[in-house]
Amino acid sequence: MDHKAQVNGTTLSYFDEGTGPVVLLMHGFPLNRQMWQAQIRPLSQAGYRVIAPDLPGFGGSEPSAAGYSMDAFADTIIGLLDALDLRRVVVGGMSMGGYILCDLLERYPERVSAACFIATKSADDDEEGRARRTTLAAQAERLGANPIIKIFAELLFAPETSQTQPALIAQVTAWMRSTAPGALAGGLLAMRDRKDYTELLPSFPQPSLVLFGSEDRAGSPAAVEVFRAGLPACESLIIPGGGHMVNMEQPELFNARLLDFLNRNRENL
C-alpha cells in the first residue's frame, strides 16, 4: 500500500505491505520504489513486512531538505524507521541504495539486523568516474533526464533483456524521465563524493547477502569477491542472465535466494 510520512522536513512516499520481520528495500539511481514490485508480494506473502521508500526527490517523494549526500540519504532512512517506530530491520540496497546501506552499517549499525547488497560495490569512484559524474550532473541540471536516459537505458539491463523484455525497458525509462533534474544531479554528486567502505567491511558483522547479475554492464562481478573477502558473515550469488536490474530481470531466482537467506536468519531479524 502507498503511504506518506514527514521525515526530516521532507514528505516521503513509500510502500508498506505485509506483517512480520521488516525488510526495507532502497532503490538505485535514477529509479524509484516501483522497481521492487516483483519482490513486495512474494516477500509479504512469505511472512515479511516490506517497506520500500522513494528516496528524497525520486518517485513520489519531495526533494531533500538536507541536500544530497550518502549521510543525508541514510539519515532519511533512519528518520522513516523512527516515524514507523521500527528499531531493527533487514536493509537491502540496490546500486546507489547499496552505498546508502554501507553508510547505515557504519553510522547506525544497531538499526540493521541483516544486509543485502544488490548490484553494488563497496569502493568509491576513481578520478575518472568522479569526473564523469560531475559532468553528467551539470547536464542533468541543464537538460533534465535525457542525458541520463541515453547512458543508463543500456547500462541497466543485460543485452538479452533488450530483445526479450522491451516493455520492462520502457517502464524503467519512464521512471527515469519522471525524476526531477535536481534529484538527478544531487544523486550523481552524492555518489561522486561517497567514501570507500572496503576497509570497513570487516566491521560489519550482520548476516549479509550479495546478489549480482552475471550480465551486469554497470558494475563488475569482481565486486562480489570484495564483499565476500571483507564481510564476516557473507553469502553471495551471481544470478545467470541478470543485468544491473537483476531483481526485475530474473525475479524468480532473485526472490528465491533472498527468501532463503531471510528464512534461515529469521530468528535473529
Side-chain angles (χ1 to χ4, degrees), residues 154-165 168 211-217 221 237-254:
E154 283 193 8
L155 285 179
L156 291 178
F157 300 99
E160 185 176 332
T161 303
S162 302
Q163 306 299 321
T164 61
Q165 302 186 66
L168 176 60
L211 296 174
F212 213 94
S214 64
E215 305 300 319
D216 192 331
R217 293 189 282 183
L237 178 66
I238 296 178
I239 297 176
H244 204 54
M245 301 296 298
V246 60
N247 69 298
M248 298 183 71
E249 294 173 279
Q250 299 292 337
E252 292 185 2
L253 291 173
F254 181 96

Side-chain angles (χ1 to χ4, degrees), residues 3 14 19 39 49 55 58 66 69 71 77 80 85 186 193 203 206 209 215-216 229 244 257 266:
H3 299 270
Y14 63 97
T19 58
Q39 281 69 56
R49 179 180 175 186
L55 293 167
F58 295 82
S69 68
D71 281 359
I77 295 299
L80 178 60
D85 197 25
D193 296 336
S203 68
Q206 293 88 341
L209 175 65
E215 305 300 319
D216 192 331
H244 204 54
R257 187 64 184 88
R266 188 180 178 100

